[in-house]
């Protein structure tokens, strides 16, 4: 058996046992649960059961990430879904960046999902498409795109080119299946994002077949909005969303 890589402090899986409403949370590409912890803790404080898996190959080393595929990342999130399913009557799913992409996958695959909240979710990143042809094994980091100068994201300092290819495949698959998403959706988008073009969120809004859909513009945050100036707004609006749809569909 290969040695298990050491998990970075702050990158660990997050689980809180609470009531019968489960919240599944996914961090983003090359990122960690450090970016999602404020949300996870706020949801748990309100009594929800929360699971934020550590995506395979994340929160360890870029070399470890390089050996994983988009199927591994899907499996990580699906494992979290099943953990919640064993404990809860209903599940919502929240994700940042590629985590938002994975959240959309979960909403498509499991029709029992009560609602989905993508935050700066990725469907098309033209700047990445040229990366795949590169000779290099690693490219510069994409993490820590945060407007607040006092906050730093725990993310890899370089990005495996092979992993970018996996992300592109995942985005294509999820984009093709968005018309199968019918659950309520609350989309958060930063007006200024240096990683995922904000237009992605408009595409998601236009493509899902949800009867209840809303887009909320974040005017004071960059890509990692969950750690940025609009963090409280995201928490407040997402808690309202859970309360509303947990009631109406309970």
């Amino acid at each position: 058996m290969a040695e298990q890589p050491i998990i970075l402090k702050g990158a660990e899986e997050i689980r809180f046992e609470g009531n019968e409403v489960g919240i599944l949370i996914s961090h983003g590409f090359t990122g960690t649960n450090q970016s999602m912890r404020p949300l996870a803790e706020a949801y748990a404080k309100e009594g929800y059961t929360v699971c934020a898996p550590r995506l395979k190959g994340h929160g360890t080393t870029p070399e470890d990430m390089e050996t994983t595929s988009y199927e591994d990342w899907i499996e990580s999130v699906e494992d979290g879904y099943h953990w919640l399913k064993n404990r809860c009557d209903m599940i919502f799913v929240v994700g940042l960046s590629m985590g938002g992409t994975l959240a959309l996958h979960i909403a498509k695959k499991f029709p029992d999902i009560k609602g989905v909240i993508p935050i700066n979710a990725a469907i098309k990143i033209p700047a990445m498409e040229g990366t795949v042809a590169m000779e290099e094994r690693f490219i510069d980091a994409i993490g820590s795109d945060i407007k607040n100068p006092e906050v730093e994201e725990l993310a890899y300092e370089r990005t495996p080119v092979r992993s970018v290819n996996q992300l592109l495949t995942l985005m294509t698959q999820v984009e093709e299946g968005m018309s199968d998403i019918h659950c309520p959706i609350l989309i958060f988008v930063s007006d200024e994002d240096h990683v995922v073009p904000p237009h992605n969120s408009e595409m998601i809004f236009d493509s899902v077949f949800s009867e209840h859909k809303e887009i909320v513009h974040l005017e004071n945050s960059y890509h990692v909005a969950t750690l940025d100036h609009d963090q409280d707004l995201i928490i407040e609006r997402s808690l309202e969303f859970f309360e509303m749809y947990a009631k109406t569909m309970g």
Side-chain angles (χ1 to χ4, degrees), residues 25-28 31-40 42-43 94-97 99-100 117-121 145-148 151-154 188-190 193 218 220-235 238:
I25 298 175
S26 180
H27 66 77
T32 65
N33 272 326
Q34 175 252 6
S35 65
M36 306 309 282
R37 184 168 286 281
L39 273 60
Y43 300 160
V94 181
L96 170 69
S97 190
I117 303 181
I119 305 162
N120 292 327
D145 183 34
I146 299 174
K147 190 171 185 178
N148 185 342
V151 179
E152 196 166 332
E153 184 191 11
L154 177 65
F188 288 102
V189 56
S190 296
D193 185 327
L218 305 172
N220 203 18
S221 297
Y222 294 159
H223 182 62
V224 191
T226 52
L227 292 178
D228 218 331
H229 295 301
D230 293 306
Q231 182 189 92
D232 289 347
L233 174 65
I234 294 170
I235 289 170
S238 54

Side-chain angles (χ1 to χ4, degrees), residues 66-162:
E66 191 180 31
T67 66
T68 62
S69 67
Y70 76 92
E71 285 113 329
D72 291 323
W73 309 333
I74 286 174
E75 189 182 335
S76 301
V77 182
E78 289 186 0
D79 286 349
Y81 165 83
H82 293 301
W83 184 83
L84 288 168
K85 189 76 179 155
N86 288 333
R87 288 162 178 77
C88 300
D89 297 338
M90 61 181 80
I91 298 171
F92 293 91
V93 56
V94 181
L96 170 69
S97 190
M98 180 180 81
T101 317
L102 291 165
L104 293 166
H105 161 80
I106 292 284
K108 172 187 179 285
K109 182 165 179 180
F110 301 104
D112 62 327
I113 290 292
K114 291 294 181 195
V116 58
I117 303 181
I119 305 162
N120 292 327
I123 295 296
K124 253 198 175 41
I125 309 178
M128 279 192 172
E129 287 163 19
T131 304
V132 182
M134 285 185 171
E135 300 285 315
E136 289 89 352
R137 184 177 164 192
F138 296 100
I139 54 170
D140 290 342
I142 58 162
S144 222
D145 183 34
I146 299 174
K147 190 171 185 178
N148 185 342
E150 292 169 19
V151 179
E152 196 166 332
E153 184 191 11
L154 177 65
Y156 287 148
E157 289 166 10
R158 53 215 164 96
T159 305
V161 169
R162 186 180 177 277

Side-chain angles (χ1 to χ4, degrees), residues 13-28:
E13 179 172 58
I14 302 169
R15 287 181 180 180
F16 293 110
E17 300 247 13
N19 62 25
E20 68 287 348
V21 179
I23 316 292
L24 177 61
I25 298 175
S26 180
H27 66 77

